[in-house]
Amino acid sequence: MKHQKNEVIVIRNLSHFFGEGILRKQILFNINLTLKSGEIVIMKGPSGSGKTTLLTLIGALRSPQSGSLQVLGQELVGTNRRKMVKIRRQIGYIFQGHNLLECLTARQNVQMSIELHNNLSSEEAKQKSIAMLEAVGLGDRVEYYPHNLSGGEKQRVAIARALVSHPQLVLADEPTAALDSKSGRDVVEIMQRLAKELGSTILIVTHDNRILDIADRILEMEDGRLRVNHIPKAS
């Protein structure tokens, strides 16, 4: 399959199963999807519909079993563990639980992400981390530990950590679930602004209908099938 430059994700006839033998159950059915550079796409649907499973497959956190799943030009079906790890390092992840390390400051949490895969000096990594925290409105919280931050501030640190390496792809699983409406709106607007500035593609799994308007496209998952793919607003 030819992979075009502006196609960040290309999925063809992807199915997925859990379990073995008589316990084997199909979770995803014949998924077809293309995400292009710079798009913000929201995937919604009821619990158990397969949204998070698809997100973890796209994020190289789980091995795809059949069909074709290309992420950043790399085919994940049939690939080895080493290659999966390499692809994971090119993706930014934002989870419902911010997953910050409590023993590190906001800046150290962000800096750790850069040091995993960038050949920067410690000072360069530090300055880049501070700049990204300033970009998400936490310039005055750089040296705060997570226990001194609000829920919305913690999630902003998580966004800074995910975006500091300027990944082409960012995956977010229920990023606003634990936040009140204002904090949730602030968080997705920061994601939206930074995605456009950095040219990143963002795929968000959410139940939060209050943030649907930030999407370029909305996908709906039901019973393991992508049902609807529509544009929520006039271009």
Side-chain angles (χ1 to χ4, degrees):
M1 184 191 306
K2 202 171 180 182
H3 179 85
Q4 295 190 21
K5 237 180 179 178
N6 65 343
E7 293 175 341
V8 176
I9 298 170
V10 181
I11 303 174
R12 295 291 177 261
N13 305 317
L14 180 74
S15 294
H16 197 73
F17 302 81
F18 285 160
E20 300 288 337
I22 59 167
L23 297 176
R24 194 170 191 244
K25 182 182 178 187
Q26 189 162 2
I27 305 297
L28 298 177
F29 297 81
N30 201 36
I31 303 292
N32 288 278
L33 175 65
T34 300
L35 267 60
K36 298 193 173 180
S37 182
E39 270 195 301
I40 298 178
V41 177
I42 283 179
M43 180 162 52
K44 53 181 290 202
S47 294
S49 59
K51 305 184 303 297
T52 296
T53 298
L54 180 55
L55 199 74
T56 57
L57 288 168
I58 291 170
L61 298 169
R62 178 179 275 136
S63 296
Q65 299 159 341
S66 67
S68 174
L69 172 53
Q70 292 188 19
V71 176
L72 303 173
Q74 302 294 314
E75 176 62 65
L76 299 191
V77 175
T79 196
N80 60 43
R81 187 177 294 272
R82 189 175 169 187
K83 203 168 178 183
M84 295 275 277
V85 170
K86 195 174 176 185
I87 291 165
R88 282 202 291 272
R89 287 178 176 166
Q90 299 174 59
I91 299 171
Y93 300 92
I94 303 166
F95 300 101
Q96 176 179 339
H98 45 77
N99 293 344
L100 301 180
L101 291 175
E102 294 290 334
C103 60
L104 300 181
T105 64
R107 191 254 312 159
Q108 289 168 332
N109 267 284
V110 175
Q111 188 171 333
M112 187 180 66
S113 172
I114 317 179
E115 289 172 344
L116 280 174
H117 51 287
N118 276 9
N119 296 319
L120 294 176
S121 71
S122 212
E123 186 56 32
E124 285 173 318
K126 180 179 178 179
Q127 293 310 317
K128 216 174 167 187
S129 303
I130 291 170
M132 185 54 73
L133 285 166
E134 287 171 346
V136 300
L138 292 177
D140 59 344
R141 299 283 192 274
V142 168
E143 298 302 333
Y144 280 44
Y145 287 90
H147 66 266
N148 290 322
L149 298 172
S150 70
E153 288 169 341
K154 288 176 188 175
Q155 201 62 312
R156 289 187 196 198
V157 176
I159 291 171
R161 182 181 58 190
L163 294 177
V164 70
S165 296
H166 296 188
Q168 287 178 264
L169 176 62
V170 177
L171 303 176
D173 193 2
E174 300 284 2
T176 65
L179 304 177
D180 61 52
S181 58
K182 185 185 184 308
S183 298
R185 166 56 57 177
D186 289 346
V187 157
V188 294
E189 285 182 352
I190 289 166
M191 288 169 65
Q192 183 183 36
R193 173 172 57 81
L194 292 176
K196 294 304 179 190
E197 288 174 9
L198 303 176
S200 301
T201 300
I202 296 189
L203 176 59
I204 302 171
V205 164
T206 188
H207 284 101
D208 190 347
N209 289 329
R210 300 168 302 185
I211 67 169
L212 299 183
D213 60 301
I214 72 146
D216 298 309
R217 279 193 292 156
I218 296 172
L219 312 173
E220 292 199 23
M221 184 80 89
E222 188 177 336
D223 298 327
R225 294 176 171 86
L226 275 181
R227 295 288 192 190
V228 181
N229 184 344
H230 64 274
I231 298 171
K233 56 195 175 189
S235 54

